[in-house]
Amino acid sequence: MSKQIIISVGREFGSGGHEIAERLAKHYNIPLYDKEIFDHIEEKGSISADVAKYFDEKPVNPVFYPIAMDGSYLPLEQTVANHIFDFIRMKGEKEKESFVIVGRCAEYVLRDNPSMISIFILGDKETKMKRVMEKYSLDEKSALNRMKKEDKMRKTYHNFYADGKWGDSRSYDICVDSSTLGIDKTLETLIAYVDAFLR
């Protein structure tokens, strides 16, 4: 692809956001950066890939908020986040790569990059619950608890680092409810949007 395109995908847990991101990357023949980020952090020498993966998109413990905010101490969660943000900037700004990335405040980190499209994918509770039950072999109560826990964590993480609020339509170029059209039609809609952007 000659013109740079960066597709940032925020998502509610169970909305199919990661699957849609994978299929967008495949459609445009560009990388989806995920585990490569942890390899990059490990190469920097201070944190292993496994530790970085564990703390990926984990919010800073409220106990450490005051000292994290004044810079006197960086909790491991924030150190990992900073490395991830550096990776996103390196790929998007220094190396001018095209890629898809899920979560990790990418729409905020690259907010001034004219080549970025930011997407947020949501869904209704019932559809998300069924998807989570099937994917993770959970009963209804466990699926709902997991959805609540994951979304709370993502929201807290995002809102700690970014100015715009997680899931707020004003923070994204386009928000889509994947429950309305289903994954395939949602993907088609987003491809049409990206294609219009690329013209």
Side-chain angles (χ1 to χ4, degrees), residues 113-137:
N113 191 315
S115 298
M116 187 192 70
I117 290 179
S118 57
I119 297 166
F120 191 85
I121 300 172
L122 59 150
D124 67 56
K125 185 171 74 172
E126 290 299 317
T127 304
K128 291 188 298 181
M129 180 187 70
K130 289 176 182 176
R131 184 175 289 117
V132 171
M133 288 172 66
E134 182 178 340
K135 184 174 181 178
Y136 298 100
S137 300

Side-chain angles (χ1 to χ4, degrees), residues 6-9 85 88 99 101-111 116 118 157-158:
I6 300 165
I7 304 174
S8 164
V9 181
F85 301 156
I88 294 169
F99 58 92
I101 188 162
V102 179
R104 302 174 175 107
C105 301
E107 91 290 342
Y108 176 74
V109 175
L110 296 176
R111 60 194 177 280
M116 187 192 70
S118 57
Y157 171 89
H158 183 280

Side-chain angles (χ1 to χ4, degrees), residues 6-152:
I6 300 165
I7 304 174
S8 164
V9 181
R11 75 289 186 216
E12 291 181 345
F13 190 74
S15 66
H18 201 282
E19 178 185 345
I20 289 170
E22 289 176 335
R23 293 173 67 177
L24 283 169
K26 184 177 181 180
H27 177 84
Y28 290 104
N29 194 29
I30 57 178
L32 169 67
Y33 282 123
D34 192 5
K35 61 183 178 64
E36 295 85 358
I37 297 174
F38 309 129
D39 295 335
H40 167 79
I41 293 173
E42 186 168 76
E43 287 171 8
K44 295 180 80 72
S46 58
I47 301 172
S48 73
D50 287 340
V51 170
K53 185 175 182 180
Y54 178 80
F55 285 102
D56 182 34
E57 288 196 290
K58 292 287 195 307
V60 175
N61 189 312
V63 172
F64 296 119
Y65 272 7
I67 50 179
M69 292 302 287
D70 72 14
S72 60
Y73 167 75
L74 284 184
L76 196 50
E77 296 93 336
Q78 187 162 0
T79 300
V80 170
N82 289 344
H83 282 313
I84 289 171
F85 301 156
D86 286 345
F87 176 88
I88 294 169
R89 291 188 192 98
M90 177 185 72
K91 294 296 183 182
E93 296 173 356
K94 294 180 182 177
E95 299 180 5
K96 300 293 183 182
E97 280 194 29
S98 292
F99 58 92
V100 178
I101 188 162
V102 179
R104 302 174 175 107
C105 301
E107 91 290 342
Y108 176 74
V109 175
L110 296 176
R111 60 194 177 280
D112 296 324
N113 191 315
S115 298
M116 187 192 70
I117 290 179
S118 57
I119 297 166
F120 191 85
I121 300 172
L122 59 150
D124 67 56
K125 185 171 74 172
E126 290 299 317
T127 304
K128 291 188 298 181
M129 180 187 70
K130 289 176 182 176
R131 184 175 289 117
V132 171
M133 288 172 66
E134 182 178 340
K135 184 174 181 178
Y136 298 100
S137 300
L138 298 174
D139 60 29
E140 183 175 315
K141 182 179 179 181
S142 298
L144 289 172
N145 286 340
R146 176 117 186 233
M147 286 161 55
K148 183 177 180 180
K149 177 184 176 183
E150 294 286 346
D151 281 348
K152 181 180 180 181

Side-chain angles (χ1 to χ4, degrees), residues 150-196:
E150 294 286 346
D151 281 348
K152 181 180 180 181
M153 195 159 50
R154 289 173 182 177
K155 180 179 181 179
T156 304
Y157 171 89
H158 183 280
N159 293 351
F160 181 79
Y161 295 106
D163 286 343
K165 299 303 181 183
W166 182 81
D168 186 329
S169 61
R170 292 166 293 188
S171 300
Y172 306 89
D173 294 314
I174 182 170
C175 296
V176 183
D177 186 334
S178 62
S179 306
T180 304
L181 298 177
I183 298 297
D184 291 343
K185 291 293 184 182
T186 297
L187 178 66
E188 289 177 17
T189 300
L190 292 173
I191 287 171
Y193 188 92
V194 175
D195 286 349

